[in-house]
């Protein structure tokens, strides 16, 4: 991918500085400038170079000269670069300059290569520039360690000066009065006879004839005629030593001040040794008590340094040189390096221009990165420049208090937030003090996760369009692609959708990106990386296209936010989880721990009764049974659910009365509403289809929640909650991602910002619900913004199957749905009455006659630890039914801590044999719970393998069965045990696992 022009904040880094002599009088006969000959370091320079001034004589490319983002400093800070000449690379004029036989001044700005390849053996003589023709003329050469002038093929008696690789030099040749005089950096260095008249005066840069190029950079070449042979060095040379010295000192002073400020920051550990100190324990088994920290090592000259952000599980390192660049991202558990190349820290498109934030150019090979290369790498002149650092603590992304049986979690999570500040590129002086960009990094204690986002502060006095953003750009080592999980909080149905996904979406033809975002994580081919091995087409499939090794985190569309003056923009947040293994279970356990840590509301657990009535008597009878049995949440389910913006006095009074009655029983309540997706609210406020220009959207007809509708509906909803005391909200049809092409809606400008603005509205609603301590089930994936749970699996037609069919399907849903969800993140229902039908074969009424099936269904869902709802008109009908339900509710509450813990997947239920669930949690006394089901019509006795590594048990495990019998089992070398189970036909069993004494 071509990355140029980044948005950031700036620090001026040490470099040579060139200044045009303002007293120079004569216009050039021809003037070639390489500063804008390209955009990407090591990209091939243009086929033709046209002069900036003087004759319109073009230079034609020979070989492969390359653009390089370096230039004499003040030119570099003006976003310019140079051309690198090696081997047979060169340019030659297409015609003559027509200055032969006249007095002239020829100037060139050049630098011998000090970067990669500088140590390559060169011939004794290499060419910088040739001016002349037919065997007569001048050639500036690199001859071993010296710059030398050849006149008519013969070297001058003394060299021009010593070659200093990596330093810009100015060489000027004066041909006047029959003499040839050479100046090096403004000082006379050699004198000899002139070449004499010659008929042709062609100009060659780099390689000429059989002489190869000098392996270095040329920024500019300029030829000026001298009337009457007059030459005044102080006026005619485009070089000012005094200014150069002053600017270089200023640049070094600024850089040292930046490095010193970091070194004196008491929140950053100063060290001479950035050696990593990995945590030795397995973070998925043991609590890690290591605090995150930021360390800094500065170079002896005080001009460069390296930052290391680590928590003992992962580390991210940044090199501060010509700019700031991420140079290492490691998993300390196995020592794996994730970065193969330097990229900008982020990218932003302002108006129509892309800008890099930080980063360095000049890495010659993009498949690996050597430490020795860093000192020679340079900033992109058009990139925002690193200006400083701030260290603070992680902030809560939304309000949350521990409630509803949630597991204890630190909120905000413990760790460290590091903010890298940047200022505008040198070529954007009008932004220098007014436009500030910051890249935020958060690392968390005890988990191998890094979060990252961008903020922009617009102090320009003018609106600024934030058209697109890339919060992360990582050139990833190809062997670690499957061990880096990235996701963001910009996560909802269409942002995550894939045209080959299972969500049963129906698209017309090839869907646009805003309908199939494929998540904000995009794995792309790195167009700067040219040495990866191509494979046979079959191998590409087998290896899953490893050359897609550039990770970019971006929105499918937008944000296209018009940032008002004196306001701030905050991007979405990208989270990066580094895996230390390819094992599927281990990776999914890590992902579940990620949610438990960074979205702790997902561990909330409420045993729910669901009813579809508005009748006071039915509701209170149902609530009374719930209270007797120990249920904790009442949900007024579809249909009719609850209209949350209906503020009629009688309607509000009904739900306040019911909520108060439930509260007396220790029950929180709320109700269902189809709110946004698939629910139009009127032509003026509904989503407009961008293809037709008329109301319409992918999810049926959806309201646009960036229209004026939000200004009336949500305030009414908050009043409804205030007046009734409802504490849960079963929000169906949240914002799933429908775009809107309206140009008249109150809170978005058009199509491009409609998804971003509607997402922001939905997030605002979720955060307010969390501030109110409400429970929030939603059929989407807003977990990182406050959502509590989603469907364990979704297929409405399965609700019409018989209870026996639903049992096995339910266990398959649990198996499939708990790879990337903790049990409490997925809801499931036991239908005591039909959902879409009154067919008696679908429900379990009368309950007493179906008590066996009721018990199995109740146990299965409780044993899974899922977010469980029992839906019907009543929960028991006889004392026997009541006793059965009470037994299993009490059992669930007794073992809730382990039952709501993560599941180890021991095999997907297939209806032909015993199927198992294994809950594990090394942090509690009940370290494991094995659940077994026999779906067949025959009793089964068999020995099963039970892996106990993630229970944290050492030596031996104590197993307690449902009958109370206990047995100790010694763990084998793989931390597993064998257990013999006997499960009756259609039956189930449970086995508590604890540490043996």
């Amino acid at each position: 991918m071509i990355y140029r022009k980044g948005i950031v904040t700036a620090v001026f880094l040490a470099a040579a500085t060139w200044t045009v002599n303002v007293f120079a009088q004569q216009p050039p006969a021809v003037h070639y400038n390489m500063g804008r000959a390209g955009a990407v370091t090591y990209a091939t320079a243009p086929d033709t170079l046209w002069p900036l001034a003087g004759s319109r004589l073009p230079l034609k490319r020979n070989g492969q000269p390359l653009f390089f983002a370096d230039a004499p400093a003040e030119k570099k800070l003006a976003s310019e670069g140079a051309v690198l000449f090696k081997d047979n690379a060169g340019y030659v004029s297409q015609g003559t300059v027509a200055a032969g036989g006249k007095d002239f001044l020829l100037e060139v700005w050049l630098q011998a290569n000090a970067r990669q390849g500088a140590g390559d053996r060169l011939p004794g003589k290499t060419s910088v520039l040739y001016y002349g023709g037919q065997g007569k003329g001048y050639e500036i050469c690199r001859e071993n360690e010296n710059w030398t002038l050849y006149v008519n093929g013969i070297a001058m008696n003394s060299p021009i000066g010593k070659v200093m690789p990596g330093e810009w030099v100015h060489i000027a040749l004066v041909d006047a009065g029959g003499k040839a005089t050479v100046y090096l950096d403004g000082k006379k260095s050699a004198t000899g006879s002139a070449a004499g008249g010659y008929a042709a005066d062609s100009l060659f840069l780099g390689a000429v004839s059989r002489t190869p190029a000098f392996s270095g950079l040329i920024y500019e070449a300029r030829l000026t005629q001298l009337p009457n042979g007059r030459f005044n060095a102080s006026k005619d040379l485009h070089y000012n030593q005094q200014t150069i010295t002053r600017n270089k000192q200023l640049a070094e002073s600024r850089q040292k001040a930046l490095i010193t400020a970091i070194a004196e920051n008491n929140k950053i550990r100063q060290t001479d040794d950035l050696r990593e100190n990995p945590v030795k324990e397995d973070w998925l088994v043991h609590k890690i008590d290591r605090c995150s920290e930021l360390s800094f090592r500065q170079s002896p000259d005080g001009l460069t340094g390296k930052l290391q952000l680590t928590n003992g599980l992962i580390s991210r390192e940044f090199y501060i040189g010509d700019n700031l660049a991420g140079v290492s991202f490691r998993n300390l558990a196995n020592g794996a390096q994730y970065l193969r190349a330097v990229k900008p820290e982020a990218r932003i498109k302002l108006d129509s221009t892309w800008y890099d934030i930080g980063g360095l150019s000049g890495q010659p090979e993009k498949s690996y990165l050597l430490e020795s290369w860093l000192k020679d790498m340079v900033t992109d002149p058009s990139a925002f420049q690193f200006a400083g650092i701030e260290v603070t603590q992680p902030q809560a992304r939304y309000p949350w208090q521990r409630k509803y049986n949630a597991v204890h979690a630190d909120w905000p999570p413990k760790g460290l937030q590091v903010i890298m500040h940047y200022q505008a590129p040198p070529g954007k002086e009008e932004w220098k003090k007014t436009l500030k960009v910051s890249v935020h990094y958060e690392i968390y204690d005890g988990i191998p996760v890094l979060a990252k986002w961008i903020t922009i502060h617009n102090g320009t006095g003018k609106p600024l369009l934030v058209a697109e953003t890339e919060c992360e750009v990582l050139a990833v080592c190809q062997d670690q692609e499957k061990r880096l999980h990235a996701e963001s909080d910009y996560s909802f149905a269409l942002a995550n959708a894939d045209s080959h996904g299972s969500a049963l979406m129906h698209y017309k033809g090839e869907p646009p990106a805003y309908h199939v975002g494929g998540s904000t994580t995009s794995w792309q081919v790195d167009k700067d990386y040219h040495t990866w091995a191509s494979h046979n087409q079959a191998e590409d499939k087998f290896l899953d296209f490893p050359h897609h090794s550039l990770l970019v985190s971006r929105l499918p569309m937008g944000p296209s936010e018009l940032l008002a003056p004196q306001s701030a923009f905050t991007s979405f947040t990208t989270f990066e989880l580094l895996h230390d293994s390819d094992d599927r279970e281990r990776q999914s356990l890590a992902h579940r721990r990620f949610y438990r840590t960074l979205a702790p509301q997902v561990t909330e657990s409420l045993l729910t009764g669901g009813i579809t009535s508005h009748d006071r008597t039915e509701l209170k009878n149902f609530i009374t049974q719930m209270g007797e049995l120990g249920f904790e949440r009442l949900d007024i389910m579809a249909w009719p659910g609850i209209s949350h913006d209906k503020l009629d006095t009688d309607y509000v009074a009904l739900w306040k009365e019911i909520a108060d009655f439930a509260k007396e029983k220790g029950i929180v309540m709320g109700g269902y509403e189809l709110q946004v997706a698939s629910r139009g609210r009127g032509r003026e406020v509904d989503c407009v289809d961008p293809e037709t220009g008329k109301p319409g959207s992918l999810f049926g007809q959806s309201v646009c929640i960036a229209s004026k509708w939000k200004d009336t509906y949500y305030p009414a909803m908050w009043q409804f909650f205030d007046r009734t005391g409802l504490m849960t909200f079963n929000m169906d049809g949240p914002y799933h991602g429908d775009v809107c092409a309206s140009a008249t809606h109150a809170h978005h400008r058009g199509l491009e910002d409609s998804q971003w603005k509607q997402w922001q509205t939905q997030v605002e609603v979720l955060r307010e619900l969390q501030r109110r301590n409400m429970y929030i089930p939603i059929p989407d994936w807003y977990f990182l913004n406050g959502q509590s749970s989603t469907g364990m699996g979704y297929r409405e037609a399965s609700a019409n199957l018989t209870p026996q069919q639903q049992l096995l399907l339910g266990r398959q849903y649990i198996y499939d749905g708990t790879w990337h969800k903790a049990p409490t993140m997925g809801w499931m229902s036991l239908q005591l009455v039909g959902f879409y039908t009154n067919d008696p074969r679908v429900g379990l009424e009368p309950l007493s006659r179906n008590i066996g099936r009721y018990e199995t269904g109740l146990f299965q869902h409780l044993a899974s630890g899922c977010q469980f709802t029992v839906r019907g008109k009543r929960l028991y009908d006889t004392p026997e039914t009541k006793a059965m339900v009470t037994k299993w509710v009490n059992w669930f509450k007794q073992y809730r801590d382990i039952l709501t813990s993560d599941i180890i997947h021991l095999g997907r239920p297939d209806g032909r044999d015993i199927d198992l669930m294994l809950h594990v949690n090394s942090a509690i006394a009940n370290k494991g719970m094995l659940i077994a089901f026999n779906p067949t019509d025959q009793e089964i006795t068999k020995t099963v393998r039970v892996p106990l590594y993630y229970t944290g048990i050492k030596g031996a495990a104590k197993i307690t069965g449902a009958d109370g019998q206990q047995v100790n089992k010694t763990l084998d070398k793989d931390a597993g045990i064998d257990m013999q189970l006997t499960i009756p036909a259609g039956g189930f069993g449970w086995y508590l696992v604890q540490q043996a004494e």
Side-chain angles (χ1 to χ4, degrees):
M1 193 164 189
I2 294 178
Y3 291 105
R4 273 317 103 199
K5 299 194 173 176
I7 238 196
V8 206
T9 321
V11 127
F12 297 92
L13 306 175
T17 305
W18 290 95
T19 302
V20 171
N21 185 343
V22 296
F23 299 107
Q25 300 295 318
Q26 296 302 323
V30 67
H31 175 197
Y32 299 101
N33 181 280
M34 319 293 169
R36 301 186 182 278
V40 182
T41 291
Y42 289 132
T44 302
D47 181 66
T48 302
L49 281 180
W50 292 92
L52 289 182
S55 167
R56 293 296 294 162
L57 182 66
L59 297 179
K60 191 72 173 176
R61 186 183 71 209
N62 286 328
Q64 194 172 21
L66 305 173
F67 178 78
F68 198 92
D70 194 6
E74 68 181 21
K75 303 302 181 183
K76 176 178 176 179
L77 294 179
S79 303
E80 298 188 29
V83 170
L84 172 64
F85 294 89
K86 291 181 65 177
D87 303 325
N88 67 336
Y91 278 99
V92 58
S93 59
Q94 300 300 289
T96 61
V97 181
K102 301 175 183 178
D103 297 336
F104 65 86
L105 165 66
L106 178 61
E107 299 172 275
V108 62
W109 286 260
L110 69 155
Q111 180 194 101
N113 183 22
R115 298 176 177 84
Q116 301 77 25
D120 296 349
R121 182 179 295 275
L122 295 174
K125 176 186 174 185
T126 53
S127 177
V128 174
L129 175 151
Y130 178 84
Y131 176 62
Q134 298 182 355
K136 298 187 70 175
Y138 298 96
E139 186 175 13
I140 298 174
C141 296
R142 175 178 179 174
E143 198 164 42
N144 297 317
E145 302 305 317
N146 293 306
W147 301 116
T148 302
L149 178 67
Y150 277 74
V151 183
N152 296 334
I154 301 172
M156 267 193 168
N157 292 331
S158 58
I160 298 171
K162 188 172 180 60
V163 172
M164 303 294 290
E167 292 190 11
W168 284 99
V169 295
H170 174 268
I171 295 177
L173 164 65
V174 178
D175 182 326
K179 289 186 177 181
T181 306
V182 186
Y183 293 79
L184 177 65
D185 291 342
K187 295 181 181 179
K188 186 184 295 186
S189 62
T191 303
S193 298
Y198 37 88
D201 52 349
S202 298
L203 179 65
F204 294 78
L205 301 181
V208 55
S209 186
R210 296 183 180 180
T211 306
F214 70 108
S215 185
L217 303 173
I218 295 179
Y219 166 70
E220 195 166 68
R222 176 194 298 257
L223 189 142
T224 306
Q225 292 183 357
L226 300 173
N228 304 317
R230 296 175 183 174
F231 173 73
N232 185 324
S234 63
K235 291 184 178 181
D236 294 320
L237 288 180
H238 290 76
Y239 183 87
N240 188 314
Q241 182 62 47
Q242 185 177 7
T243 303
I244 288 170
T245 302
R246 184 175 65 249
N247 287 351
K248 183 174 182 180
Q249 290 173 345
L250 179 61
E252 289 188 354
S253 175
R254 287 170 173 164
Q255 180 67 359
K256 285 185 176 180
L258 175 63
I259 296 296
T260 299
I262 297 173
E264 293 177 350
N265 190 321
N266 60 14
K267 294 183 178 179
I268 303 174
R269 186 178 72 91
Q270 307 301 313
T271 181
D272 294 327
D273 184 3
L274 283 181
R275 193 177 312 166
E276 294 159 335
N277 182 21
V279 167
K280 294 181 172 58
E281 297 85 2
D282 185 343
W283 70 280
L284 286 172
V285 178
H286 303 281
K287 179 177 173 57
I288 306 301
D289 292 321
R290 180 82 61 84
C291 292
S292 302
E293 68 176 6
L294 180 66
S295 301
F296 180 63
R297 182 188 68 205
Q298 66 173 312
S299 63
D301 62 6
L303 291 174
T304 64
K306 184 177 279 190
L307 289 160
Q308 182 188 80
L309 180 60
T310 183
N311 60 4
L313 297 172
I314 60 173
S315 71
R316 187 129 171 189
E317 293 185 358
F318 307 88
Y319 175 77
I320 304 173
D322 218 18
N323 206 338
L324 180 139
V327 296
S328 176
F329 197 11
R330 280 167 49 83
N331 190 323
L332 303 185
N334 58 8
Q337 175 62 254
Y338 284 69
L339 291 191
R340 57 173 174 77
V342 170
K343 292 292 180 181
E345 286 305 291
R347 300 177 71 235
I348 291 185
K349 186 178 182 181
L350 296 180
D351 295 323
S352 59
T353 303
W354 277 103
Y355 296 89
D356 286 355
I357 302 175
L360 292 170
S361 299
Q363 181 179 340
E365 172 53 59
K366 302 299 169 48
S367 62
Y368 57 88
L369 175 63
L370 298 183
E371 188 81 12
S372 59
W373 294 347
L374 297 177
K375 61 181 173 53
D376 298 322
M377 294 173 66
V378 296
T379 187
D380 181 334
S382 62
F384 274 63
Q385 305 292 304
F386 177 61
I389 192 169
E390 184 180 345
V391 182
T392 184
Q393 297 298 306
Q395 304 298 308
R397 296 189 312 283
Y398 48 85
W400 181 75
Q401 297 179 19
R402 187 184 177 199
K403 60 188 184 297
Y404 306 142
N405 305 299
V407 175
H408 170 77
D410 293 311
W411 192 252
K414 292 181 179 179
L416 209 60
Q417 182 181 158
V418 177
I419 309 171
M420 307 290 193
H421 298 298
Y422 295 79
Q423 67 183 28
K428 288 287 186 179
E429 293 301 321
E430 70 275 18
W431 288 353
K432 190 68 68 177
K433 295 182 179 180
T434 58
L435 184 63
K436 297 181 180 180
V437 177
S438 300
V439 180
H440 301 248
Y441 304 80
E442 275 189 354
I443 192 169
Y444 307 103
D445 296 352
I447 183 170
V449 172
L450 186 82
K452 189 175 177 186
W453 68 97
I454 306 165
T455 54
I456 306 172
H457 297 271
N458 180 15
T460 65
K462 299 178 181 179
L464 184 67
L465 181 64
V466 183
E468 297 181 50
T469 62
E470 291 177 352
C471 291
E472 182 64 291
V473 184
L474 287 179
V476 179
C477 296
Q478 287 168 271
D479 63 330
Q480 299 302 319
E481 293 171 26
K482 301 299 182 280
R483 293 186 177 183
L484 197 167
H485 170 79
E487 67 177 274
S488 81
D489 62 351
Y490 193 80
S491 180
F492 49 89
L494 294 188
N496 295 323
D498 188 294
S499 58
H500 301 291
S502 63
L504 305 179
M505 302 300 299
H506 301 288
Y507 302 107
K508 300 175 183 177
E510 186 67 26
Y514 52 73
H515 280 169
V516 285
S519 89
T520 53
T521 303
S522 174
W523 287 93
Q524 305 174 5
V525 174
D526 184 351
K527 294 183 179 179
D528 294 335
Y529 177 19
H530 306 294
T531 56
W532 52 267
S534 60
H535 299 286
N536 182 280
Q537 287 85 345
E539 288 179 292
D540 273 342
K541 283 280 192 180
F542 301 155
L543 296 170
D544 197 16
F545 305 98
H547 60 290
H548 293 195
S549 60
L550 183 71
L551 186 154
V552 178
S553 183
R554 83 291 178 263
L555 301 183
M557 179 177 71
S560 193
E561 179 163 326
L562 193 62
L563 187 59
Q566 308 307 321
S567 62
F569 167 86
T570 300
S571 74
F572 65 98
T573 300
T574 297
F575 299 87
E576 297 160 12
L577 167 63
L578 271 57
H579 293 300
D580 56 18
S581 167
D582 294 321
D583 178 71
R584 183 186 183 190
E585 191 75 71
R586 184 170 178 83
Q587 288 197 357
S588 71
L589 282 168
H591 196 195
R592 288 174 260 166
R593 181 72 63 86
F594 161 79
Y595 287 122
R596 291 177 180 274
T597 304
L598 300 181
Q601 77 283 352
V602 303
T603 68
E604 294 170 357
S605 171
L606 289 169
L607 182 54
T608 301
I611 188 171
T612 59
S613 175
H614 282 193
D615 182 84
R616 281 178 167 84
T617 301
E618 284 187 347
L619 289 168
K620 290 183 177 181
N621 288 339
F622 192 72
I623 293 169
T624 298
Q625 287 197 348
M626 288 177 62
E628 293 171 348
L629 296 170
F631 279 63
E632 299 158 329
R633 169 184 166 236
L634 170 66
D635 188 26
I636 309 302
M637 302 184 74
W639 286 266
I642 293 178
S643 298
H644 293 85
D645 62 334
K646 187 175 180 179
L647 297 177
D648 294 354
T649 301
D650 292 344
Y651 193 75
V652 170
L654 166 66
W655 294 117
K656 176 172 173 50
E657 177 184 341
I658 299 303
D660 288 346
F661 186 79
K663 186 176 181 180
E664 292 173 2
K665 309 292 185 183
I667 296 167
V668 294
M669 75 157 289
Y672 167 97
E673 183 176 9
L674 181 65
Q675 191 176 70
V676 175
S678 304
R679 187 169 182 183
R681 303 279 186 160
R683 291 183 63 88
E684 289 187 355
V685 296
D686 284 348
C687 287
V688 173
D689 188 329
E691 294 185 8
T692 66
K694 299 177 181 179
S697 44
L698 188 63
F699 287 93
Q701 178 60 68
S702 301
V703 65
C704 173
I705 59 173
S707 69
K708 65 181 181 180
W709 176 83
K710 69 177 279 189
D711 301 325
T712 55
Y713 177 88
Y714 291 120
M717 184 178 78
W718 303 132
Q719 287 188 54
F720 186 83
F721 288 139
D722 290 338
R723 295 180 187 181
T724 61
L726 269 59
M727 291 303 294
T728 74
F729 182 22
N730 186 347
M731 185 196 305
D732 193 9
Y735 179 63
H736 286 323
D738 276 322
V739 298
C740 178
S742 171
T744 61
H745 283 174
H747 302 289
H748 74 98
R749 294 180 300 106
L751 172 64
E752 286 74 18
D753 69 335
S754 65
Q755 208 169 49
W756 173 254
K757 288 297 186 180
Q758 292 187 83
W759 171 78
Q760 286 182 321
T761 297
Q762 184 66 83
V763 168
E764 290 169 3
V765 170
L766 289 170
R767 293 178 178 180
E768 174 60 18
L769 290 168
Q770 279 296 353
R771 189 192 67 79
R772 293 167 173 263
N773 287 324
M774 298 182 71
Y775 181 76
I776 319 165
I778 304 176
D780 213 313
W781 207 266
Y782 284 91
F783 291 113
L784 293 168
N785 280 304
Q787 173 183 344
S788 302
S789 62
T790 190
M792 187 65 79
Y794 188 72
R795 191 82 180 203
E796 291 187 359
S798 64
N800 293 328
L801 300 176
T802 67
Q804 201 63 30
Q805 289 173 302
Q806 289 185 36
L807 285 175
L808 185 59
L809 280 174
R811 295 202 297 278
Q812 290 182 338
Y813 289 3
I814 292 165
Y815 179 90
D816 297 337
T818 53
W819 282 103
H820 294 277
K821 295 195 293 287
T824 48
M825 292 171 71
W827 73 62
M828 300 193 75
S829 297
L830 179 62
Q831 308 288 346
L832 302 185
V833 295
F835 193 75
Y836 294 105
T837 177
N838 292 319
D839 189 331
R841 294 173 298 176
V842 173
L844 290 172
E845 288 283 5
L847 303 178
S848 57
R849 294 184 187 176
N850 295 286
I851 192 169
R853 290 192 295 166
Y854 188 7
E855 181 174 23
T856 302
L858 191 66
F859 174 80
Q860 170 176 307
H861 291 92
L862 292 171
S864 75
C866 73
Q867 211 64 249
F868 178 42
T869 297
V870 181
R871 178 183 175 276
K873 295 291 186 181
R874 57 185 177 176
L875 299 174
Y876 66 84
D877 56 359
T878 65
E880 292 78 14
T881 311
K882 180 179 181 181
M884 182 274 293
V885 177
T886 300
K887 169 188 172 182
W888 289 115
V889 169
N890 290 342
W891 174 82
F892 169 73
K893 290 186 174 182
Q894 179 182 356
Y895 297 114
R896 181 180 231 147
D897 59 350
I898 186 61
L899 292 172
T900 55
S901 297
D902 287 328
I903 289 177
I904 300 295
H905 297 77
L906 302 182
R908 194 172 191 267
D910 61 9
R912 304 184 184 198
D913 200 350
I914 289 175
D915 58 83
L916 305 169
M917 298 180 198
L918 175 64
H919 294 277
V920 296
N921 191 333
S922 62
I924 58 178
N926 297 326
K927 296 184 178 299
M929 178 73 83
L930 181 68
I931 311 294
F933 297 91
N934 179 1
T936 74
D937 57 4
Q938 301 290 323
E939 179 180 277
I940 297 178
T941 297
K942 68 178 297 186
T943 299
V944 297
R945 173 77 177 165
V946 185
L948 296 180
Y949 173 78
Y950 291 106
T951 66
I953 290 174
K954 301 295 183 184
K958 180 174 73 173
I959 311 298
T960 303
D963 56 5
Q965 293 187 15
Q966 296 182 352
V967 61
N968 287 354
K969 290 276 190 177
T970 300
L971 274 63
D972 60 24
K973 63 181 179 61
D974 297 318
I977 61 173
D978 291 328
M979 289 179 59
Q980 187 177 72
L981 306 181
T982 298
I983 308 297
F988 54 83
W990 60 270
Y991 308 86
L992 180 66
V993 183
Q994 298 171 306
Q995 175 71 55
E997 296 179 0

